[in-house]
Amino acid sequence: SCARPPRPVFTSTRGMSRQPTPTPSKEADLPNPHSIDLIIEQTVGFSGGVMGAMQGCPDGKMVYVAGSWIVVSHKDDPTSQTYLRGHNQPIMSLAVSPSGRFAASGESGKDSDVIVWDLHSLSLLYRLSEHDHGVHHVSFSHDEKLLLSVSGVQDDGGKLIVWDVSSGMIVAQTRKSKHYVSTPAQRVHHTLQRIHNTALLMPDSTTRAAVWTSRINQDGSYGFITAGHNFESQARGPQFWTLNPYNGELDHVKGETRKVKRSYTCLCWSPREDLLLAGTETGDVAVFYNTRLQEIIPTCRGAVMNIVGPMANGVFVAGGYDGSIVPFSPNVSLPYASGDLLTPGVPDVRRMPSAAEIMGGVSSMTYIQDTDEVLIGSTCCLTYKMNMGDFSLGVLRENHMGPVTQVCFNPNADDLFATSSEDKSVILWSLNDYTVHFKSTHSDAGICWCVAMSDQYVLSGWQDGDVRAFTIPTGELAWSIHNVHAGGVRQICVSYGQNFFATGGEKGDVRFWDMGTKSLISMCVEHKSPVTGLEMFDGDEACLSSSKDGSFAVWDVRRGSRLSAHRTSMGAVNGVALARDQLQVVTTGRDKQLTFWDLRETHPVQRVQEAHVGEGTCVCISQDGAIVASGGADQVIRLWDFSTGRLLNEVVGHSSTISSIRFSYDNRTLASTSVDGTVAIWKLQGGQESTAPEQVSDEVAADQ
């Protein structure tokens, strides 16, 4: 809940709207039985497709977006994390106030809110609910008294709202703002998406670049500048705004562009604020002096997406969508008042060679003046730290840059886990410090649908139908099997003895393979739709599979014959889990239920109705058999008592559909993955103990 807001700085009621009622984060509305504590340990992920998704604070804090969460970390220790959760939809804009006291975030989608956070107390101050469709930009004034938020054309033609930070009230607003910018424009967006193979989280609709002045006029008015592209009139250029916060008057004048047409992507002031530096989609920086375009500096090969500076040596740094980090300097000694427009051919224009290049485009840059360092985020969802003294570049964190499809733990090493992703990669992580042991990308193999681990290998199934095994921990490709399944390998599972592994295909076939010879042992062709789950029995003689055709079955590994089969009454089975007694099974799927089965019975023995608001997408059982964990399209992770079906705990885990969930072998950790590209590591602590099911028998019932 939110503290009572302090007394407003500006008391005029003109231009002000109702004070929004702050609301708690989404998980606060959920019942919490407190039987099992599910505590977030680490979030692995970065929304690199969001422009400005990483911001820095003067004290070295690093604030960045991961789906619908804001992660507060430190540039020197990225694994030390604190989480701010309040959005129900992916965040698409982020700002940190100049002193680092406040942060503001705007979400995408309909009924999109702006949330103001106190970074000192790590609490939610206000939820501002005036934008109706996507908040594309937020920024604080230099004195942190005002907040600017801007939405796109879908929101009544575009709303520009200025808020009082002390009260959460509207100071001024306008609609159908003068220009809009796609960052970059749709044409460049799609081209670079193909080049970098990056899943941009922001839509093709409009966003905005803006910057405040640090001077307050004699009448108490503030100034800020916005820039972009007006799709209707084709008139392009910055807009220079003047705001009187006491009466809500908001006026603007157009920048003089001298018929030079550019789409602007970012803005930055010179130290004296006499020069405005505007990055453009064509790869140059436009320099404005007193609202008038004076200089064009060619900078990057692609769009200039970020400008920061000046650095300790007086230069600015531009980050391009081609991945280049380029120092440059506007020549402040030139007589701008003369009115001559400087072109790239003028010798006095200084553009230095590229200092470095990163993987993907530069989606965010922030300068830490005290340490003369720049924090950089890429569209490939990597984060970097660059020392501006020698331009040395180091990777802070690696992440997947697309939906994460599956997670698994190493059966005999508690400190390793692996993930697969639609970004065509497999990553092996350390559970101790969340560093990457290896990342293997195969651009020609399509989506990596699934992953499993043995003592020696990380096994993965791919859209091209191949299985690829990577050596632990080096990541070298040890071996591969071609054409395992037509249409792609959807599921993979290693036997307990690690003598063989099972695969499930896009067309519903299940196959068993010898781990040593890589030869086919047997195959089962009865499912009519993609295989959604595989579970091995103890003794490695039988395997459980589930499918989107609404059935699950038990197979004899050696013979390839069916031992039992069951069918749900409603729709696909999206996830299946086998209990430790080898007789009981839990499924979830399109029916939104959590269903408990006994393999000796035809019908379910228990159903949990409406276990998830949307489809249930995944389910697993703890190694001691006491707890069932499920995830769904409603973004919620729920823990259940296996014996009674009682809800133990639930938490909003991600900002999109949860794609997989898995307990570690020591029962202390739960990992979840999501379509939003994040991996969450949870610790299970305390709570009331649950009773594991009685170990009955290892035999499997005959065909029903």
Side-chain angles (χ1 to χ4, degrees):
S1 63
C2 305
R4 178 175 297 177
R7 182 175 179 269
V9 175
F10 308 112
T11 56
S12 170
T13 59
R14 181 177 178 182
M16 302 177 73
S17 176
R18 61 174 176 83
Q19 181 177 347
T21 302
T23 59
S25 60
K26 183 175 179 180
E27 65 268 27
D29 298 328
L30 299 173
N32 184 5
H34 296 294
S35 293
I36 296 291
D37 292 328
L38 196 60
I39 301 173
I40 183 68
E41 174 77 10
Q42 190 79 190
T43 294
V44 180
F46 169 62
S47 298
V50 174
M51 298 300 111
M54 183 170 65
Q55 304 286 329
C57 301
D59 60 0
K61 284 182 182 177
M62 185 170 62
V63 183
Y64 62 92
V65 177
S68 63
W69 295 9
I70 292 177
V71 182
V72 182
S73 182
H74 197 281
K75 64 182 181 65
D76 297 326
D77 184 15
T79 62
S80 175
Q81 297 180 339
T82 306
Y83 309 94
L84 302 176
R85 292 179 285 178
H87 290 288
N88 299 333
Q89 302 175 90
I91 296 170
M92 66 181 306
S93 56
L94 176 69
V96 172
S97 65
S99 71
R101 178 185 175 187
F102 301 112
S105 53
E107 65 185 11
S108 59
K110 295 182 179 179
D111 300 323
S112 47
D113 294 339
V114 176
I115 295 181
V116 180
W117 309 89
D118 188 320
L119 292 181
H120 291 173
S121 62
L122 299 174
S123 60
L124 186 154
L125 290 180
Y126 307 108
R127 181 183 298 273
L128 311 175
S129 304
E130 287 295 323
H131 292 288
D132 297 322
H133 205 293
V135 181
H136 292 202
H137 174 84
V138 287
S139 59
F140 288 93
S141 62
H142 72 285
D143 58 4
E144 304 181 349
K145 293 181 179 180
L146 298 173
L147 172 69
L148 171 68
S149 64
V150 183
S151 56
V153 292
Q154 292 178 318
D155 189 8
D156 289 340
K159 293 180 182 178
L160 184 153
I161 304 176
V162 180
W163 307 85
D164 184 340
V165 174
S166 69
S167 66
M169 295 182 179
I170 292 177
V171 174
Q173 64 177 322
T174 183
R175 302 191 180 199
K176 293 189 177 181
S177 302
K178 301 303 176 182
H179 44 235
Y180 306 94
V181 58
S182 176
T183 315
Q186 296 179 14
R187 170 179 49 79
V188 179
H189 165 91
H190 289 302
T191 301
L192 291 166
Q193 187 175 36
R194 289 195 296 270
I195 293 174
H196 300 302
N197 186 33
T198 180
L200 293 177
L201 298 182
M202 66 181 183
D204 289 337
S205 56
T206 60
T207 59
R208 180 176 298 279
V211 62
W212 289 81
T213 65
S214 64
R215 296 187 296 268
I216 299 178
N217 299 325
Q218 291 183 350
D219 61 356
S221 62
Y222 287 70
F224 61 90
I225 296 90
T226 61
H229 170 49
N230 188 316
F231 292 112
E232 296 178 357
S233 68
Q234 300 297 316
R236 306 176 182 183
Q239 305 287 330
F240 294 77
W241 298 81
T242 301
L243 165 69
N244 187 325
Y246 299 98
N247 59 20
E249 291 184 358
L250 190 61
D251 299 314
H252 78 281
V253 296
K254 296 180 181 180
E256 300 178 54
T257 59
R258 306 188 183 196
K259 298 183 180 181
V260 175
K261 293 186 177 181
R262 291 290 190 273
S263 291
Y264 297 97
T265 54
C266 55
L267 298 171
C268 180
W269 279 117
S270 67
R272 293 182 299 178
E273 296 188 5
D274 53 345
L275 302 180
L276 176 68
L277 311 179
T280 72
E281 214 174 75
T282 53
D284 45 37
V285 175
V287 182
F288 288 82
Y289 176 77
N290 286 342
T291 75
R292 186 176 177 85
L293 178 63
Q294 293 293 123
E295 182 180 5
I296 299 290
I297 304 176
T299 309
C300 303
R301 296 187 299 273
V304 178
M305 299 312 301
N306 293 270
I307 302 174
V308 294
M311 309 295 147
N313 57 6
V315 303
F316 292 80
V317 175
Y321 219 75
D322 59 354
S324 60
I325 311 294
V326 182
F328 74 96
S329 176
N331 198 328
V332 297
S333 63
L334 290 175
Y336 283 119
S338 67
D340 296 331
L341 175 63
L342 301 180
T343 67
V346 176
D348 288 320
V349 175
R350 292 189 293 156
R351 189 268 192 192
M352 306 173 191
S354 176
E357 290 195 6
I358 65 172
M359 184 179 298
V362 179
S363 61
S364 57
M365 293 177 65
T366 182
Y367 179 52
I368 309 298
Q369 185 173 5
D370 291 347
T371 57
D372 199 28
E373 293 175 317
V374 173
L375 304 180
I376 304 168
S378 84
T379 58
C380 287
C381 300
L382 280 75
T383 56
Y384 300 84
K385 181 170 64 174
M386 173 178 277
N387 186 297
M388 297 311 299
D390 56 7
F391 296 112
S392 58
L393 185 70
V395 176
L396 286 174
R397 293 292 293 267
E398 290 190 68
N399 305 281
H400 283 297
M401 59 180 183
V404 185
T405 54
Q406 207 165 82
V407 63
C408 69
F409 288 93
N410 190 294
N412 294 311
D414 295 336
D415 60 345
L416 296 176
F417 69 99
T419 54
S420 56
S421 172
E422 290 189 20
D423 66 5
K424 307 176 183 180
S425 73
V426 175
I427 298 181
L428 179 66
W429 308 85
S430 167
L431 198 57
N432 295 327
D433 56 9
Y434 303 97
T435 56
V436 173
H437 284 286
F438 73 79
K439 180 178 183 179
S440 182
T441 302
H442 295 263
S443 58
D444 297 331
I447 295 171
C448 185
W449 287 119
C450 52
V451 65
M453 270 200 279
S454 67
D455 290 343
Q456 293 180 289
Y457 306 116
V458 175
L459 283 71
S460 55
W462 298 75
Q463 191 177 14
D464 65 356
D466 291 1
V467 168
R468 294 174 173 85
F470 306 97
T471 304
I472 299 174
T474 62
E476 296 178 0
L477 181 61
W479 49 265
S480 62
I481 305 176
H482 301 296
N483 302 318
V484 173
H485 291 281
V489 181
R490 279 287 187 165
Q491 296 292 325
I492 192 166
C493 177
V494 177
S495 66
Y496 284 94
Q498 302 186 13
N499 297 316
F500 69 90
F501 62 94
T503 59
E506 173 72 18
K507 297 186 177 181
D509 50 329
V510 177
R511 303 189 180 195
F512 303 99
W513 305 83
D514 187 286
M515 185 76 79
T517 64
K518 319 300 182 296
S519 59
L520 181 65
I521 299 173
S522 65
M523 62 182 296
C524 314
V525 186
E526 289 198 25
H527 292 305
K528 306 302 181 183
S529 298
V531 177
T532 57
L534 291 172
E535 292 273 343
M536 295 303 307
F537 283 72
D538 290 343
D540 296 342
E541 296 181 357
C543 179
L544 171 69
S545 67
S546 64
S547 170
K548 284 189 176 294
D549 63 9
S551 69
F552 66 93
V554 179
W555 310 97
D556 185 303
V557 172
R558 295 295 175 184
R559 296 185 178 90
S561 59
R562 176 167 52 83
L563 298 175
S564 70
H566 293 74
R567 181 169 293 276
T568 61
S569 58
M570 294 178 59
V573 177
N574 293 330
V576 65
L578 179 65
R580 296 298 300 160
D581 65 4
Q582 311 287 287
L583 290 174
Q584 299 180 78
V585 170
V586 183
T587 62
T588 190
R590 189 170 296 173
D591 59 7
K592 307 177 185 179
Q593 300 177 3
L594 195 68
T595 308
F596 294 77
W597 304 79
D598 189 314
L599 293 175
R600 298 164 296 187
E601 303 290 338
T602 304
H603 303 291
V605 296
Q606 184 181 4
R607 282 192 177 99
V608 178
Q609 302 289 341
E610 299 295 332
H612 288 275
V613 176
E615 284 192 34
T617 55
C618 50
V619 64
C620 66
I621 300 176
S622 61
Q623 301 302 318
D624 61 5
I627 302 172
V628 178
S630 65
D634 58 3
Q635 311 163 17
V636 177
I637 297 171
R638 288 185 169 91
L639 300 182
W640 312 85
D641 185 289
F642 181 89
S643 297
T644 65
R646 181 174 63 90
L647 180 64
L648 299 176
N649 208 336
E650 58 185 354
V651 63
V652 176
H654 298 270
S655 61
S656 190
T657 299
I658 297 172
S659 54
S660 111
I661 195 166
R662 187 68 62 181
F663 284 100
S664 64
Y665 287 88
D666 62 5
N667 266 346
R668 298 177 180 176
T669 303
L670 181 72
S672 60
T673 66
S674 173
V675 174
D676 67 11
T678 61
V679 182
I681 305 297
W682 309 82
K683 292 299 182 182
L684 285 78
Q685 295 182 2
Q688 177 181 337
E689 294 185 359
S690 298
T691 304
E694 181 182 357
Q695 301 296 316
V696 179
S697 172
D698 290 337
E699 67 183 39
V700 179
D703 190 1
Q704 301 295 324

